[in-house]
Amino acid sequence: MSYEVTATRRRPQKFDDLVGQEFVAETLKKSIESGKIAHAYLFSGPRGCGKTSTARILAKALNCQKGPSSNPCGECSTCQEITKGSSLDVIEIDGASNTSVENIRQIKDEVLFPPNSCRYKIYIIDEVHMLSNSAFNALLKTIEEPPEYVIFIFATTELQKVPATIKSRCQQFNFRLVAIDKVKECLADAAKEMNIQADEEALFWIARESTGSMRDAYTLFDQVVAFSDGHITYDKIRDKLGLVGIDRLNMIFESCAYGRADEVLSSLDEFLQGGVSIEQLISNCADYLRSILLIKSGITKESLLGNSVERYSKVILNAWNTIQVERALSIYLQLYKDIRYSLSPRYELELAFSRMCWISQFVSNQDVKKAIDSARALLEPAGTVAQAPQTQATQPQPQETVNNAGINPVPEGLPRFSMLDNPEPEEQTPPFHDGGTLPPEKSVQVVNSMPYPEGYSENPDDEDSGWTNVDEPPEEGYYEEDYEQKAEDYFEAENTQAQKGLVQQGSDVQFTTADGNVMSMVQLRGNVTAALSLTDGFAASVIEKTGEWKLGADGIETTISSSYDLELIKKKKTIIRDELTKISGKPMAFKVELQEKKPEVQDNQTPAQVPDQVNILLNAFKGTVVAGKV
C-alpha cells in the first residue's frame, strides 16, 4: 500500500473524532436525531480545523443506509463511497476554480434530478468566498428553496467575504482553533500508531508551532519523523530546523544579566554561524522573554509558557523586574519590524543584544517619581520644616520664610535677580502718563478740567445748547421740530396718493364678494392672483400679464398683448373661472381678447428734428445719427 500522510490517514470519520469542535459536533448530532435537517449549512473558521471533514461526516450521516444516523456505520457502500470521494450524490466543488455564473448554472440544472442511489444529493463547496458576485446572486434562489432532496454545505476561511444574503439562508457554524494540549495528545497517538518514540518536549514544540491547526501539526510531524530515525527529540528538531532552544537562550540571557557584552556577542556569532536565521532567533527570543514575563506575573501553566517553569533560568528571574522584562520584550518586537528595511539585519540584532546588557539599569518613570518623592526633604530650602505630603483637599498653603532683610532665601550657587532684592516703593510713578480710558463716572470731570485742543468747541452746531460732545445728549426738548408728527403726516399723504392711484386704475368699479365684502377690480385681480399662486403658478403669472379688468354682464372682461399668453390663458380659463366663482358666490365668466397693436409710423412722415444737445455731441465726437426716436 502506498504511503499516506498523517493528516489524510487520521482524518475524522465520525462526529466523535472531531478535535476541539465539540459544539459543532453536538449540534449536528442533535439535529439529525430530531429530524431537523437544514437545506444549507455554512462552516467557517481557520485552516485545518475540520470544516471539510465535518461536511463529509454530515453527508455520511444523512445518506448512510442504516440512517439517517448521528453515528454513521462507515461500512455500507454509501459510507465507503463518500469516504473515498467517489459518490455520485455527494459532489465536492472547489470554489476557487469554479467562480463563474456558468458553473452555478450547471448546479441549478443538476438539482432538478433526484439522487441516484442516496437519500440526499449533497453539494460541498469549499472556499465559497472565492465565488464572484454574479455567481452568488445566481445561487440565491436555489439555496433558498431547493428541492427537498438537495442539501448545500459551504466551507470558507474568510467569512467576511461571504455576502449577507448567503449567510441569512444558511445555518452558520464557527470552527475554532484547537488547544495545544489536544494537539499534543493527537500527535502522541499518531506516534504510537507509527511505532515512533517521541519526547514530550518535542511534541509540545510541534503543537505550539501549528498554532491550533491540526493539519499543520500533522504536516510538521511528518517532516520531523522523516529525519528523526524513529525517535523524535527536541535536540534533533533544534539542530535540523535551525532553532536556538531554551538552554542556549538561558545561557545568552544570563550573560546579558551579568553585563558581559563580549560573551553575548560571541554566542550570537556562534548561533548565526550554526545556520540559525536572524528572524528565527528574534522570534525565539521574543517567545522566551514572554514566558519570563508570564512567570514573573504568576503564570505557571505549561501550555502558555511552552516549557515547564523549572526549565527557565533563576538568574534571569531574580535579576530583572517586571518593568525591565517588558522593556526587553518590546525591544525584540520592534526589532522584528525594523529588520525589514534595515541596512544590515545582523547589525540590528547585535545592537539589540548590546542594549540587553544594560537593561538591568533601566528605570521606569514610576521609579523615578518614587525616588524624587523620597528625596523631597533634600530639596526643601534651608530654614523650613518638611511636612508630610497631604491630599490636595487638605494640604495647607506653603509659608514663605524670609530672612532679616525681608528677602526670600535663595540657595547657594543659584543666580539672584536684583529686582527681587529691593522691595517695591510705596509711591511709584506709573509707566504710562495716561492710564487709558477713564471710568464713566469720572470722564466728564476730568475732561472739563483739561484744556481743550486748538479749534475745539463745546458744540459747533449750536453754541447755546449748553452741552459738550463728552456729555450725554439731552433727553427731551432739544430738537425744535416734532419729527414723529411729521413722519406720520408723510405716511398718511403717501397712503392717500396710493388710494388715488387705485381709483385711477379702475378701482371706482365696485365688486361684491360672496361674504358681502366690497372691493375694487384691482383688489379682485390681486386676490385671484394670490389664490392661484398657491395652486397653479402658471395661471397666476399669466393673470399678471392681463390688462385692466372690467366688470361685464356675465363676468370679467380684459385684454392681453401676446398671442402666446392668450393661448396659455385659454388653457387656464377653467381654473380662473372657478376661482372667480368661488370669490363672488355665483357663476362668473372670464373673457380675454388680444389687444390691438398701435399703428407704426410711416416712412413718409416728416422726421423729427434732432435736439441741439445731440448736435453738440455730434460735432464734438465727429459722429452721425444712425437711428433712434425723439
Side-chain angles (χ1 to χ4, degrees), residues 246-311:
I246 188 172
D247 297 331
R248 294 182 181 181
L249 290 175
N250 283 333
M251 178 190 65
I252 192 171
F253 279 108
E254 284 180 1
S255 300
C256 292
Y258 290 126
R260 302 168 183 171
D262 53 344
E263 296 181 4
V264 172
L265 296 178
S266 299
S267 301
L268 181 60
D269 181 66
E270 292 179 2
F271 295 159
L272 298 178
Q273 293 295 333
V276 178
S277 64
I278 294 178
E279 293 80 1
Q280 185 65 46
L281 180 57
I282 296 174
S283 177
N284 293 340
C285 291
D287 292 339
Y288 180 84
L289 292 173
R290 170 187 172 271
S291 301
I292 294 293
L293 181 61
L294 293 176
I295 294 174
K296 295 187 73 66
S297 300
I299 304 299
T300 59
K301 189 176 181 181
E302 186 176 353
S303 60
L304 288 178
L305 300 178
N307 293 280
S308 61
V309 181
E310 293 77 12
R311 296 292 305 274

Side-chain angles (χ1 to χ4, degrees), residues 148-455:
E148 58 182 7
Y149 50 80
V150 175
I151 295 177
F152 289 93
I153 303 177
F154 304 133
T156 178
T157 56
E158 299 184 22
L159 182 62
Q160 71 279 3
K161 293 184 179 180
V162 179
T165 53
I166 298 293
K167 297 178 183 178
S168 63
R169 290 167 168 81
C170 304
Q171 284 191 8
Q172 300 183 38
F173 292 89
N174 295 322
F175 288 69
R176 296 174 293 183
L177 293 172
V178 185
I180 296 178
D181 295 337
K182 294 183 179 180
V183 176
K184 180 181 175 182
E185 294 177 1
C186 294
L187 293 176
D189 294 340
K192 290 180 181 180
E193 291 179 359
M194 300 174 66
N195 296 324
I196 296 176
Q197 186 178 359
D199 295 345
E200 292 291 329
E201 185 178 3
L203 295 179
F204 194 84
W205 179 86
I206 296 174
R208 284 189 60 194
E209 292 297 318
S210 65
T211 63
S213 173
M214 285 302 306
R215 183 169 58 235
D216 292 357
Y218 286 136
T219 302
L220 185 57
F221 175 78
D222 291 339
Q223 182 180 357
V224 172
V225 169
F227 60 76
S228 296
D229 296 331
H231 186 194
I232 302 175
T233 62
Y234 183 75
D235 294 336
K236 293 180 180 180
I237 295 176
R238 180 192 62 192
D239 297 336
K240 297 297 183 179
L241 300 182
L243 306 179
V244 181
I246 188 172
D247 297 331
R248 294 182 181 181
L249 290 175
N250 283 333
M251 178 190 65
I252 192 171
F253 279 108
E254 284 180 1
S255 300
C256 292
Y258 290 126
R260 302 168 183 171
D262 53 344
E263 296 181 4
V264 172
L265 296 178
S266 299
S267 301
L268 181 60
D269 181 66
E270 292 179 2
F271 295 159
L272 298 178
Q273 293 295 333
V276 178
S277 64
I278 294 178
E279 293 80 1
Q280 185 65 46
L281 180 57
I282 296 174
S283 177
N284 293 340
C285 291
D287 292 339
Y288 180 84
L289 292 173
R290 170 187 172 271
S291 301
I292 294 293
L293 181 61
L294 293 176
I295 294 174
K296 295 187 73 66
S297 300
I299 304 299
T300 59
K301 189 176 181 181
E302 186 176 353
S303 60
L304 288 178
L305 300 178
N307 293 280
S308 61
V309 181
E310 293 77 12
R311 296 292 305 274
Y312 294 91
S313 174
K314 301 296 182 181
V315 176
I316 301 174
L317 292 173
N318 296 329
W320 294 342
N321 56 30
T322 305
I323 301 298
Q324 293 169 347
V325 176
E326 289 179 357
R327 176 63 178 175
L329 179 58
S330 65
I331 289 176
Y332 284 96
L333 292 178
Q334 185 62 37
L335 175 62
Y336 194 85
K337 301 176 184 178
D338 295 341
I339 60 174
R340 182 178 180 182
Y341 303 102
S342 176
L343 176 65
S344 175
R346 176 165 181 166
Y347 295 169
E348 297 279 356
L349 182 61
E350 292 174 347
L351 179 60
F353 274 100
S354 179
R355 290 174 178 173
M356 293 299 298
C357 294
W358 53 263
I359 199 68
S360 301
Q361 304 177 8
F362 177 77
V363 181
S364 64
N365 296 335
Q366 185 178 3
D367 294 336
V368 173
K369 182 180 181 301
K370 290 180 180 179
I372 293 177
D373 292 340
S374 62
R376 182 177 180 182
L378 301 177
L379 301 178
E380 292 291 340
T384 60
V385 179
Q387 299 180 357
Q390 303 179 8
T391 60
Q392 185 176 1
T394 61
Q395 184 175 2
Q397 297 294 332
Q399 299 179 357
E400 295 185 358
T401 58
V402 295
N403 55 14
N404 297 331
I407 306 174
N408 291 330
V410 180
E412 293 293 338
L414 294 181
R416 290 179 175 273
F417 296 93
S418 59
M419 64 180 299
L420 299 179
D421 293 340
N422 299 325
E424 186 177 355
E426 296 181 359
E427 296 182 0
Q428 185 176 2
T429 305
F432 303 101
H433 68 280
D434 185 4
T437 305
L438 297 176
E441 60 271 18
K442 297 183 179 181
S443 60
V444 176
Q445 180 180 359
V446 175
V447 173
N448 290 337
S449 64
M450 296 176 60
Y452 293 116
E454 184 178 357

